[in-house]
Amino acid sequence: MANAAHQAVIITPGSNLQYFFGLNLYESERFIGALITPSETIFICPKFEDTSLAAKLNQPYETLYWEEDEDPYALIATYLRSNSVNLCAIDPNCSYGHASRIGDALGRAIGVGSAHALISPLRARKSAAELALMTFAKQLTLDIHLTIAGWIKPGMACSEVKHEIDRLHRAGGADNGSSFCAVQFGEATAHPHGVPGDPVLQPGELILIDTGCTIDGYNSDITRTYALDTMSEEVEMMWALEKEAQQAAFDRAAPGVACEDVDTAARQFLTDRGLGPDYKLPGVPHRTGHGIGLDIHEGPYLVRGDKTPLAAGMCFSNEPMIVVPGKFGIRLEDHFYITETGASWFTEPQESLYALTQ
């Protein structure tokens, strides 16, 4: 904050409040949040929630309460003015509704900006404890993929598979079962985020399952594409290219390398083999990967234009999906983290089109 000349930062419900204070709150029409200055932290909270907030915090903090007929934004403005604050940064995940009301209350006397540049570098580099939580979450999801691959059979509907994956996540200790689950069969695999409906798996169809969970808020997100029956030569060839492209991205990742260079490595590998170029199909329709942590998608990103240097503790998905329009899509998604010397997989990549592991 001192380096950025910000004299106050406001953190609102969401992953940033959870990151800094361990508070898993949802944003509602009633304002609640933390106001941080270089010398103190103050929580702004509805008065009737005072005991609930105190019970959730792991240590006492100063508080500013507001009653139901009072204006919390005016309360914030009064505090900042009384402390001679002239520049305040707001949580980048704060809704426009709350952020605009804060700005209106502060007026022209106090500058308002985004706290993204302050928060993002902290969140991007995970601690050993964060890596341990993510390792647990990802291993749980991978184990479920392996179980489902031996359980699934023709005649099953997508909804049936999703229900079983959710049950297994819950049984394995996930916070709330599956945090998401996409199950796609056949031609539907060509649509990166699936299509509506509840199709049934037919004999000879390709299977794509993308799912994850959270452990103490930290996310897993793993995709497997496989087949129960022998597929065409085209599918087998594209699956092999997808695996090699994923490996090319992994091999490029190292401290100091720009995020966009990892995307380039996977994309150039496939371009050299006749796919693309760029986002043209058949080819890769989206970025190679995203950061992950308390948010399933968080910065920085493995995409052209993101020049953030990789650093130890950063975590990313690796999923340069190949789409052949109207036919099929293949996405292999695993995650890696940056060490002092290179990249390390959280989970080992899929073995083959017909076997998820050796």
mmCIF file with all atom_site columns, all heavy atoms in Angstrom, residues 274-287:
data_model
loop_
_atom_site.group_PDB
_atom_site.id
_atom_site.type_symbol
_atom_site.label_atom_id
_atom_site.label_alt_id
_atom_site.label_comp_id
_atom_site.label_asym_id
_atom_site.label_entity_id
_atom_site.label_seq_id
_atom_site.pdbx_PDB_ins_code
_atom_site.Cartn_x
_atom_site.Cartn_y
_atom_site.Cartn_z
_atom_site.occupancy
_atom_site.B_iso_or_equiv
_atom_site.pdbx_formal_charge
_atom_site.auth_seq_id
_atom_site.auth_comp_id
_atom_site.auth_asym_id
_atom_site.auth_atom_id
_atom_site.pdbx_PDB_model_num
ATOM 1   N N   . GLY A 1 274 ? -0.195  -28.421 -38.572 1.00 0.00 ? 274 GLY A N   1
ATOM 2   C CA  . GLY A 1 274 ? -1.323  -28.171 -39.460 1.00 0.00 ? 274 GLY A CA  1
ATOM 3   C C   . GLY A 1 274 ? -2.600  -27.702 -38.812 1.00 0.00 ? 274 GLY A C   1
ATOM 4   O O   . GLY A 1 274 ? -3.623  -27.545 -39.497 1.00 0.00 ? 274 GLY A O   1
ATOM 5   N N   . LEU A 1 275 ? -2.607  -27.453 -37.514 1.00 0.00 ? 275 LEU A N   1
ATOM 6   C CA  . LEU A 1 275 ? -3.814  -26.967 -36.845 1.00 0.00 ? 275 LEU A CA  1
ATOM 7   C C   . LEU A 1 275 ? -3.721  -25.452 -36.658 1.00 0.00 ? 275 LEU A C   1
ATOM 8   O O   . LEU A 1 275 ? -2.654  -24.873 -36.640 1.00 0.00 ? 275 LEU A O   1
ATOM 9   C CB  . LEU A 1 275 ? -3.983  -27.656 -35.502 1.00 0.00 ? 275 LEU A CB  1
ATOM 10  C CG  . LEU A 1 275 ? -4.196  -29.171 -35.555 1.00 0.00 ? 275 LEU A CG  1
ATOM 11  C CD1 . LEU A 1 275 ? -4.272  -29.756 -34.156 1.00 0.00 ? 275 LEU A CD1 1
ATOM 12  C CD2 . LEU A 1 275 ? -5.447  -29.522 -36.339 1.00 0.00 ? 275 LEU A CD2 1
ATOM 13  N N   . GLY A 1 276 ? -4.872  -24.828 -36.483 1.00 0.00 ? 276 GLY A N   1
ATOM 14  C CA  . GLY A 1 276 ? -4.896  -23.375 -36.308 1.00 0.00 ? 276 GLY A CA  1
ATOM 15  C C   . GLY A 1 276 ? -4.715  -22.672 -37.641 1.00 0.00 ? 276 GLY A C   1
ATOM 16  O O   . GLY A 1 276 ? -5.250  -23.111 -38.671 1.00 0.00 ? 276 GLY A O   1
ATOM 17  N N   . PRO A 1 277 ? -3.936  -21.565 -37.690 1.00 0.00 ? 277 PRO A N   1
ATOM 18  C CA  . PRO A 1 277 ? -3.164  -20.976 -36.590 1.00 0.00 ? 277 PRO A CA  1
ATOM 19  C C   . PRO A 1 277 ? -4.044  -20.159 -35.654 1.00 0.00 ? 277 PRO A C   1
ATOM 20  O O   . PRO A 1 277 ? -5.236  -20.010 -35.886 1.00 0.00 ? 277 PRO A O   1
ATOM 21  C CB  . PRO A 1 277 ? -2.164  -20.075 -37.324 1.00 0.00 ? 277 PRO A CB  1
ATOM 22  C CG  . PRO A 1 277 ? -2.913  -19.639 -38.553 1.00 0.00 ? 277 PRO A CG  1
ATOM 23  C CD  . PRO A 1 277 ? -3.748  -20.824 -38.945 1.00 0.00 ? 277 PRO A CD  1
ATOM 24  N N   . ASP A 1 278 ? -3.418  -19.627 -34.639 1.00 0.00 ? 278 ASP A N   1
ATOM 25  C CA  . ASP A 1 278 ? -4.111  -18.816 -33.639 1.00 0.00 ? 278 ASP A CA  1
ATOM 26  C C   . ASP A 1 278 ? -5.307  -19.590 -33.084 1.00 0.00 ? 278 ASP A C   1
ATOM 27  O O   . ASP A 1 278 ? -5.141  -20.699 -32.613 1.00 0.00 ? 278 ASP A O   1
ATOM 28  C CB  . ASP A 1 278 ? -4.510  -17.462 -34.209 1.00 0.00 ? 278 ASP A CB  1
ATOM 29  C CG  . ASP A 1 278 ? -3.302  -16.635 -34.616 1.00 0.00 ? 278 ASP A CG  1
ATOM 30  O OD1 . ASP A 1 278 ? -2.289  -16.700 -33.899 1.00 0.00 ? 278 ASP A OD1 1
ATOM 31  O OD2 . ASP A 1 278 ? -3.366  -15.939 -35.649 1.00 0.00 ? 278 ASP A OD2 1
ATOM 32  N N   . TYR A 1 279 ? -6.532  -19.008 -33.176 1.00 0.00 ? 279 TYR A N   1
ATOM 33  C CA  . TYR A 1 279 ? -7.724  -19.658 -32.619 1.00 0.00 ? 279 TYR A CA  1
ATOM 34  C C   . TYR A 1 279 ? -8.590  -20.289 -33.714 1.00 0.00 ? 279 TYR A C   1
ATOM 35  O O   . TYR A 1 279 ? -9.727  -20.688 -33.451 1.00 0.00 ? 279 TYR A O   1
ATOM 36  C CB  . TYR A 1 279 ? -8.542  -18.637 -31.822 1.00 0.00 ? 279 TYR A CB  1
ATOM 37  C CG  . TYR A 1 279 ? -7.763  -18.032 -30.675 1.00 0.00 ? 279 TYR A CG  1
ATOM 38  C CD1 . TYR A 1 279 ? -7.216  -16.757 -30.787 1.00 0.00 ? 279 TYR A CD1 1
ATOM 39  C CD2 . TYR A 1 279 ? -7.548  -18.731 -29.493 1.00 0.00 ? 279 TYR A CD2 1
ATOM 40  C CE1 . TYR A 1 279 ? -6.483  -16.194 -29.742 1.00 0.00 ? 279 TYR A CE1 1
ATOM 41  C CE2 . TYR A 1 279 ? -6.824  -18.192 -28.451 1.00 0.00 ? 279 TYR A CE2 1
ATOM 42  C CZ  . TYR A 1 279 ? -6.294  -16.915 -28.579 1.00 0.00 ? 279 TYR A CZ  1
ATOM 43  O OH  . TYR A 1 279 ? -5.569  -16.372 -27.549 1.00 0.00 ? 279 TYR A OH  1
ATOM 44  N N   . LYS A 1 280 ? -8.039  -20.388 -34.915 1.00 0.00 ? 280 LYS A N   1
ATOM 45  C CA  . LYS A 1 280 ? -8.786  -20.973 -36.022 1.00 0.00 ? 280 LYS A CA  1
ATOM 46  C C   . LYS A 1 280 ? -8.966  -22.479 -35.802 1.00 0.00 ? 280 LYS A C   1
ATOM 47  O O   . LYS A 1 280 ? -8.064  -23.164 -35.319 1.00 0.00 ? 280 LYS A O   1
ATOM 48  C CB  . LYS A 1 280 ? -8.053  -20.714 -37.335 1.00 0.00 ? 280 LYS A CB  1
ATOM 49  C CG  . LYS A 1 280 ? -8.792  -21.211 -38.572 1.00 0.00 ? 280 LYS A CG  1
ATOM 50  C CD  . LYS A 1 280 ? -7.999  -20.909 -39.836 1.00 0.00 ? 280 LYS A CD  1
ATOM 51  C CE  . LYS A 1 280 ? -8.726  -21.423 -41.068 1.00 0.00 ? 280 LYS A CE  1
ATOM 52  N NZ  . LYS A 1 280 ? -7.953  -21.163 -42.307 1.00 0.00 ? 280 LYS A NZ  1
ATOM 53  N N   . LEU A 1 281 ? -10.138 -22.985 -36.161 1.00 0.00 ? 281 LEU A N   1
ATOM 54  C CA  . LEU A 1 281 ? -10.438 -24.409 -36.014 1.00 0.00 ? 281 LEU A CA  1
ATOM 55  C C   . LEU A 1 281 ? -10.386 -25.113 -37.365 1.00 0.00 ? 281 LEU A C   1
ATOM 56  O O   . LEU A 1 281 ? -10.710 -24.517 -38.389 1.00 0.00 ? 281 LEU A O   1
ATOM 57  C CB  . LEU A 1 281 ? -11.823 -24.575 -35.374 1.00 0.00 ? 281 LEU A CB  1
ATOM 58  C CG  . LEU A 1 281 ? -12.002 -23.893 -34.005 1.00 0.00 ? 281 LEU A CG  1
ATOM 59  C CD1 . LEU A 1 281 ? -13.405 -24.138 -33.487 1.00 0.00 ? 281 LEU A CD1 1
ATOM 60  C CD2 . LEU A 1 281 ? -10.956 -24.370 -33.009 1.00 0.00 ? 281 LEU A CD2 1
ATOM 61  N N   . PRO A 1 282 ? -9.986  -26.397 -37.377 1.00 0.00 ? 282 PRO A N   1
ATOM 62  C CA  . PRO A 1 282 ? -9.556  -27.221 -36.241 1.00 0.00 ? 282 PRO A CA  1
ATOM 63  C C   . PRO A 1 282 ? -8.299  -26.649 -35.592 1.00 0.00 ? 282 PRO A C   1
ATOM 64  O O   . PRO A 1 282 ? -7.365  -26.266 -36.272 1.00 0.00 ? 282 PRO A O   1
ATOM 65  C CB  . PRO A 1 282 ? -9.289  -28.590 -36.857 1.00 0.00 ? 282 PRO A CB  1
ATOM 66  C CG  . PRO A 1 282 ? -9.996  -28.588 -38.179 1.00 0.00 ? 282 PRO A CG  1
ATOM 67  C CD  . PRO A 1 282 ? -9.961  -27.168 -38.641 1.00 0.00 ? 282 PRO A CD  1
ATOM 68  N N   . GLY A 1 283 ? -8.335  -26.623 -34.277 1.00 0.00 ? 283 GLY A N   1
ATOM 69  C CA  . GLY A 1 283 ? -7.230  -26.073 -33.516 1.00 0.00 ? 283 GLY A CA  1
ATOM 70  C C   . GLY A 1 283 ? -7.647  -25.809 -32.089 1.00 0.00 ? 283 GLY A C   1
ATOM 71  O O   . GLY A 1 283 ? -8.561  -26.461 -31.570 1.00 0.00 ? 283 GLY A O   1
ATOM 72  N N   . VAL A 1 284 ? -6.989  -24.844 -31.477 1.00 0.00 ? 284 VAL A N   1
ATOM 73  C CA  . VAL A 1 284 ? -7.225  -24.535 -30.065 1.00 0.00 ? 284 VAL A CA  1
ATOM 74  C C   . VAL A 1 284 ? -8.075  -23.266 -29.962 1.00 0.00 ? 284 VAL A C   1
ATOM 75  O O   . VAL A 1 284 ? -7.616  -22.191 -30.323 1.00 0.00 ? 284 VAL A O   1
ATOM 76  C CB  . VAL A 1 284 ? -5.890  -24.330 -29.319 1.00 0.00 ? 284 VAL A CB  1
ATOM 77  C CG1 . VAL A 1 284 ? -6.134  -24.057 -27.838 1.00 0.00 ? 284 VAL A CG1 1
ATOM 78  C CG2 . VAL A 1 284 ? -4.991  -25.556 -29.488 1.00 0.00 ? 284 VAL A CG2 1
ATOM 79  N N   . PRO A 1 285 ? -9.316  -23.358 -29.462 1.00 0.00 ? 285 PRO A N   1
ATOM 80  C CA  . PRO A 1 285 ? -10.207 -22.196 -29.453 1.00 0.00 ? 285 PRO A CA  1
ATOM 81  C C   . PRO A 1 285 ? -10.021 -21.245 -28.277 1.00 0.00 ? 285 PRO A C   1
ATOM 82  O O   . PRO A 1 285 ? -10.620 -20.172 -28.266 1.00 0.00 ? 285 PRO A O   1
ATOM 83  C CB  . PRO A 1 285 ? -11.598 -22.842 -29.397 1.00 0.00 ? 285 PRO A CB  1
ATOM 84  C CG  . PRO A 1 285 ? -11.377 -24.096 -28.617 1.00 0.00 ? 285 PRO A CG  1
ATOM 85  C CD  . PRO A 1 285 ? -10.010 -24.582 -29.018 1.00 0.00 ? 285 PRO A CD  1
ATOM 86  N N   . HIS A 1 286 ? -9.232  -21.640 -27.287 1.00 0.00 ? 286 HIS A N   1
ATOM 87  C CA  . HIS A 1 286 ? -9.091  -20.788 -26.108 1.00 0.00 ? 286 HIS A CA  1
ATOM 88  C C   . HIS A 1 286 ? -7.668  -20.846 -25.573 1.00 0.00 ? 286 HIS A C   1
ATOM 89  O O   . HIS A 1 286 ? -6.824  -21.587 -26.084 1.00 0.00 ? 286 HIS A O   1
ATOM 90  C CB  . HIS A 1 286 ? -10.104 -21.172 -25.022 1.00 0.00 ? 286 HIS A CB  1
ATOM 91  C CG  . HIS A 1 286 ? -10.033 -22.608 -24.572 1.00 0.00 ? 286 HIS A CG  1
ATOM 92  N ND1 . HIS A 1 286 ? -8.918  -23.158 -23.976 1.00 0.00 ? 286 HIS A ND1 1
ATOM 93  C CD2 . HIS A 1 286 ? -10.947 -23.609 -24.631 1.00 0.00 ? 286 HIS A CD2 1
ATOM 94  C CE1 . HIS A 1 286 ? -9.145  -24.424 -23.671 1.00 0.00 ? 286 HIS A CE1 1
ATOM 95  N NE2 . HIS A 1 286 ? -10.369 -24.732 -24.065 1.00 0.00 ? 286 HIS A NE2 1
ATOM 96  N N   . ARG A 1 287 ? -7.403  -20.050 -24.542 1.00 0.00 ? 287 ARG A N   1
ATOM 97  C CA  . ARG A 1 287 ? -6.072  -19.965 -23.940 1.00 0.00 ? 287 ARG A CA  1
ATOM 98  C C   . ARG A 1 287 ? -5.601  -21.342 -23.460 1.00 0.00 ? 287 ARG A C   1
ATOM 99  O O   . ARG A 1 287 ? -6.396  -22.265 -23.230 1.00 0.00 ? 287 ARG A O   1
ATOM 100 C CB  . ARG A 1 287 ? -6.101  -18.981 -22.775 1.00 0.00 ? 287 ARG A CB  1
ATOM 101 C CG  . ARG A 1 287 ? -6.982  -19.442 -21.635 1.00 0.00 ? 287 ARG A CG  1
ATOM 102 C CD  . ARG A 1 287 ? -7.326  -18.337 -20.658 1.00 0.00 ? 287 ARG A CD  1
ATOM 103 N NE  . ARG A 1 287 ? -8.288  -18.822 -19.667 1.00 0.00 ? 287 ARG A NE  1
ATOM 104 C CZ  . ARG A 1 287 ? -9.079  -18.039 -18.960 1.00 0.00 ? 287 ARG A CZ  1
ATOM 105 N NH1 . ARG A 1 287 ? -9.046  -16.726 -19.123 1.00 0.00 ? 287 ARG A NH1 1
ATOM 106 N NH2 . ARG A 1 287 ? -9.907  -18.549 -18.073 1.00 0.00 ? 287 ARG A NH2 1
#
